[in-house]
Amino acid sequence: HIPLFLLVFLLAFGIVYLASANRLNLAYHISSAIQQKRFLLYCQPIIDTHSGDCTGVEILLRWHDERQGWISPDVFIPLAEQHGLIQSLTRYLLIQLVQRLYLFPRTCDFTISINIAAEHFTQGQILDDLQTHWFHHLPAPTLVLELTERTALERIDNQLLTRLHQLGARLAIDDFGTGHSSLSYLQQLQPDVLKIDRSFCATIGTDAINARVLDSMISLGKDLGLKLVAEGVETQEQVDYLKQRNVECIQGYFFSMPMPLEDFPQWLSNYRR
Ligand code: C2E
Ligand code: CA
Ligand code: CA
Ligand code: CA
C-alpha cells in the first residue's frame, strides 16, 4: 500500500526522467550522425532579378537517418541548438563545403550563403572556425553569413563584425520580419543583405496586411542601402512584382528546389534566363 503523494512523486519523476533520457538520446543521435557524415549538403540557387543570372547559392542541410528517413532541418536545427551541437554541425558543414568548392564558380561575384546560429556568432567562435576552414581557400566565392533569428542575439562584438568584413565575408539577416526584433538587428549588425521571409512573398497579389508590410520592408531596405533577397518565390507573378520593385535577388522553388551540391554544375549549365 503506497501513499498517494509518493505515487504522484514517482510518476512525475518517471516522466521527467524519460523525457530527459529521450533528449539525451536525440542529442547523441545528432552527434553520431555528424561523425558518420549523415548530414548532407544541399544548395538552392539565388537569382539576380535584373540579369536573370544565378549569382549565388544558399547551403541547406539535410539529414537522412537509416531508421527514421528524412528529418527536416526545422526539427534537427532547433534540437542541435538546444543541445549545444549547432557549432559542431556548422563546422562539419564548412569542412564538407570547402571540399566541394570546385562545384561552384570560384570568383568573388558568386556568393555562397551559409546559415549561422546566433549562439555561434555571439560567442565569437565563428571567426576561428572561418579562419580554420574557409578563408585560406582562395580564390573562393564570397561568403555570406545568414544570421537566423530563432534565438535572440545577446551581445554583438563590433570588432568581430569589422574583422569578418575585412576578411571579405558579408552578413545577411535571415527571415527578416519574423522572429526576434528584426528592427533592432539593423542597428546592431549593420548587415549587407536582408532576406525577406517567404511568408511575405506569399502575400503578393493578395490584399493581406503582410503585402503592405512587404512593400514597407522593401523601401526600408532601399533606404538603408541594403541588398534585398526575397525568399520562397514560387510564381511568375511574385517574380514580376519583386523585379518591378527592384528587389535585387530572388530565391525559391520557381527557379529550383534545393539540390545536392553535386547536381549544381549540371543545373547551372541547363539554366536559361
Ligand atoms: P531558411 O534559412 O529560411 O531556408 C529557406 C528554407 O525555405 C529552406 O527550407 C528551403 O528549402 C525553403 N524554401 C526555399 N524555396 C522555397 C519556396 O519557394 N517555397 C517554400 N515553401 N519553401 C522554400 P529547409 O531547407 O527545410 O530549411 C529550413 C530551415 O532550417 C532554414 O530556413 C534554416 O533556418 C535552417 N537550416 C537549414 N540548414 C541549416 C544550417 O546549416 N545551419 C543552420 N543554423 N540552420 C539551417
Ligand atoms: Ca537562410
Ligand atoms: Ca530564410
Ligand atoms: Ca526560415
Side-chain angles (χ1 to χ4, degrees):
H1 188 97
I2 309 170
L4 185 64
F5 80 90
L6 193 61
L7 208 62
V8 170
F9 174 79
L10 284 174
L11 199 64
F13 183 79
I15 289 169
V16 170
Y17 178 79
L18 281 178
S20 67
N22 192 32
R23 282 164 60 103
L24 279 176
N25 187 23
L26 278 165
Y28 171 76
H29 212 48
I30 291 178
S31 43
S32 70
I34 296 175
Q35 267 158 26
Q36 294 167 17
K37 301 195 166 75
R38 293 212 170 271
F39 289 99
L40 307 176
L41 276 64
Y42 273 51
C43 68
Q44 188 177 35
I46 298 176
I47 308 298
D48 180 293
T49 22
H50 188 67
S51 66
D53 293 339
C54 172
T55 52
V57 290
E58 174 176 3
I59 308 296
L60 296 157
L61 280 172
R62 295 286 177 268
W63 182 9
H64 190 75
D65 179 70
E66 268 177 328
R67 280 187 305 179
Q68 299 187 50
W70 293 100
I71 303 173
S72 161
D74 287 325
V75 174
F76 68 77
I77 296 288
L79 267 177
E81 287 180 356
Q82 283 160 31
H83 292 288
L85 290 165
I86 191 67
Q87 308 198 28
S88 339
L89 192 54
T90 307
R91 265 192 293 279
Y92 163 88
L93 180 149
L94 279 168
I95 293 165
Q96 299 295 312
L97 180 59
V98 294
Q99 288 170 6
R100 291 168 181 75
L101 276 185
Y102 66 89
L103 295 165
F104 301 102
R106 300 285 288 264
T107 76
C108 59
D109 294 342
F110 194 81
T111 61
I112 294 192
S113 305
I114 62 172
N115 293 284
I116 301 291
E119 175 200 348
H120 201 166
F121 205 80
T122 35
Q123 296 182 0
Q125 191 62 41
I126 187 67
L127 188 59
D128 288 347
D129 287 336
L130 291 176
Q131 265 163 340
T132 312
H133 299 296
W134 180 271
F135 287 126
H136 58 275
H137 286 273
L138 293 169
T142 295
L143 186 68
V144 179
L145 306 175
E146 296 191 3
L147 223 65
T148 53
E149 298 182 89
R150 240 183 307 277
T151 52
L153 271 182
E154 283 141 24
R155 174 188 57 85
I156 294 151
D157 179 357
N158 280 317
Q159 271 180 321
L160 171 64
L161 294 179
T162 313
R163 192 76 192 106
L164 286 170
H165 264 116
Q166 284 169 345
L167 289 163
R170 296 288 166 262
L171 214 64
I173 296 186
D174 205 354
D175 303 339
F176 188 63
T178 68
H180 295 86
S181 60
S182 321
L183 290 173
S184 74
Y185 265 32
L186 291 176
Q187 173 74 40
Q188 287 176 285
L189 282 174
Q190 310 199 333
D192 308 280
V193 179
L194 284 189
K195 294 198 77 172
I196 301 172
D197 190 67
R198 70 161 177 269
S199 55
F200 297 101
C201 299
T203 61
I204 291 172
T206 71
D207 56 5
I209 292 277
N210 270 355
R212 309 269 296 279
V213 177
L214 171 66
D215 288 342
S216 313
M217 289 198 310
I218 295 173
S219 47
L220 177 64
K222 297 271 162 212
D223 274 356
L224 297 172
L226 302 175
K227 179 173 150 185
L228 291 164
V229 180
E231 299 187 303
V233 174
E234 295 179 355
T235 67
Q236 182 70 56
E237 186 188 11
Q238 293 169 344
V239 175
D240 295 341
Y241 186 94
L242 296 160
K243 199 171 167 178
Q244 243 169 39
R245 280 158 187 77
N246 289 317
V247 169
E248 284 83 356
C249 290
I250 33 186
Q251 176 184 352
Y253 295 167
F254 184 77
F255 300 101
S256 172
M257 306 259 300
M259 66 187 107
L261 296 198
E262 284 69 20
D263 294 352
F264 182 72
Q266 182 72 44
W267 179 87
L268 190 62
S269 68
N270 290 338
Y271 174 70
R272 297 275 173 274
R273 45 179 83 175

